[in-house]
Amino acid sequence: MKHIGLKITAFIFAIALWLYVMSLNSFQVTVELPVRLVKLPEMLAVASKPPQTLQVKVEGEAFDLMRFRSRLRTGDSSVASIVLDLQNAELGATRKHVTAKNFVAQNYPNIKFVEPDNQLMFIDLELDTRIQRNIPVRSNVTFNTAAGYLLSDEPKLSPEFVTVSGARNALTRMIEIPTDSLDFDTLKTGKKYTIPLNFDLFPAYVTPSDSSISIIVDVQKIATKKFEKIPVQLIGIYEKGSAKLVPDSVDIEITGGERVLDSMTNENVELFIEYNRFAIEDVDSLPPTVKLKLNTNVNREMSIKATQIIPDKVSLVKKVVKPAASSETNKTNEDYGEEEDEEDEE
């Protein structure tokens, strides 16, 4: 441990000398910078897929470069970028050369862009007319209810369409915009869900008006309600009064969404049998056809799960009609005899 102080002092001076030498020299490094397109005319849109980033070589002092690269590694895209000015761009294909004037790093004035040796760096673009379209949204979301509950209607998307702005050629190829794939299980109550849209296959530089949509789901508890003495109508072409149904009214139990059933009365239930069905099916009794007169906003297929008629069948009973007696049969022999005598006297 002899002369320890002298050794520490020498070490410190060596580091200081190294730092001083490093500060006098410039170094070059290759970095990947984001590409930004600016001042594009409103009537034009990018139709191609230009690179999102570009590898370039920059030069600067060691400490500036160390801080510069450190911030780039953290994903800070505001550190520096390659900016292409499209103010004077025209419709069709265009090639933009990348030079030192396109390099922007406002917080690092001492870091400079290094022009490539014996080659030109450029970015090719295809510009097209900008249009707007309403693209339908496709749901990739699955909703499953808990036991004893049902979805009373199809999930409703809001909005069903998303306005998209971009190049004509790109938008005319777009058929739909999917949502993220999500699953919701054991639902017991209705709810509005916010679902992100999936832009993984979106064309470059196409701008949607929304990044998410709402999906409204109506969930109801399953219940059963009984409607008593519902008349059964006999319909079709037949001689009125020649046939009747026995019984002419029945009870019906309906299973479905609790709120839908609560809104129903006997007036919402209609039962009928087609007269010709008895002859076509060659039977004496048939189950009535059930017609539910529900509000137009009720989904009959999803909100009603089952119907049970009590009794389950109704019989057709035909009445016997006696023919009316003719006037000839009402005449007696005496009547005929009197007529004959009158003829003889004449």
Side-chain angles (χ1 to χ4, degrees), residues 87-141:
Q87 185 173 9
N88 299 319
E90 297 180 353
L91 190 68
T94 183
R95 169 169 286 185
K96 291 292 184 180
H97 290 157
V98 178
T99 63
K101 68 178 183 179
N102 302 113
F103 174 73
V104 176
Q106 294 181 351
N107 296 326
Y108 295 90
N110 295 325
I111 294 181
K112 307 299 181 183
F113 179 88
V114 179
E115 299 280 354
D117 295 331
N118 303 322
Q119 64 178 358
L120 293 176
M121 185 178 295
F122 56 83
I123 294 178
D124 288 328
L125 298 172
E126 182 75 27
L127 300 181
D128 197 359
T129 305
R130 179 179 294 277
I131 64 170
Q132 282 190 344
R133 276 190 62 203
N134 290 330
I135 310 295
V137 176
R138 174 172 56 85
S139 173
N140 284 330
V141 185

Side-chain angles (χ1 to χ4, degrees), residues 239-243 318-324:
E239 186 178 348
K240 304 301 181 183
S242 65
K318 295 183 179 180
K319 298 179 182 179
V320 177
V321 181
K322 294 182 179 180

Side-chain angles (χ1 to χ4, degrees), residues 232-238 243-247 272-289 312-318:
V232 184
Q233 304 175 57
L234 183 62
I235 64 173
I237 301 175
Y238 67 98
K244 67 176 182 178
L245 296 174
V246 178
F272 60 89
I273 297 180
E274 172 67 39
Y275 177 80
N276 290 334
R277 281 185 59 199
F278 291 98
I280 294 172
E281 300 183 31
D282 193 21
V283 292
D284 296 326
S285 61
L286 287 169
T289 299
D312 61 340
K313 291 184 179 181
V314 174
S315 299
L316 178 69
V317 177
K318 295 183 179 180

Side-chain angles (χ1 to χ4, degrees), residues 190 237 266 345:
I237 301 175
N266 284 21
E345 289 177 358

Side-chain angles (χ1 to χ4, degrees), residues 260-329:
V260 173
L261 296 181
D262 287 344
S263 67
M264 293 175 60
T265 65
N266 284 21
E267 300 299 322
N268 299 109
V269 184
E270 188 176 293
L271 302 177
F272 60 89
I273 297 180
E274 172 67 39
Y275 177 80
N276 290 334
R277 281 185 59 199
F278 291 98
I280 294 172
E281 300 183 31
D282 193 21
V283 292
D284 296 326
S285 61
L286 287 169
T289 299
V290 180
K291 180 181 178 181
L292 300 181
K293 297 180 289 184
L294 305 175
N295 292 332
T296 55
N297 61 343
V298 175
N299 188 317
R300 164 72 171 80
E301 287 71 24
M302 296 186 67
S303 60
I304 302 299
K305 289 302 181 183
T307 58
Q308 182 179 0
I309 299 172
I310 307 170
D312 61 340
K313 291 184 179 181
V314 174
S315 299
L316 178 69
V317 177
K318 295 183 179 180
K319 298 179 182 179
V320 177
V321 181
K322 294 182 179 180
S326 66
S327 59
E328 294 294 328
T329 58

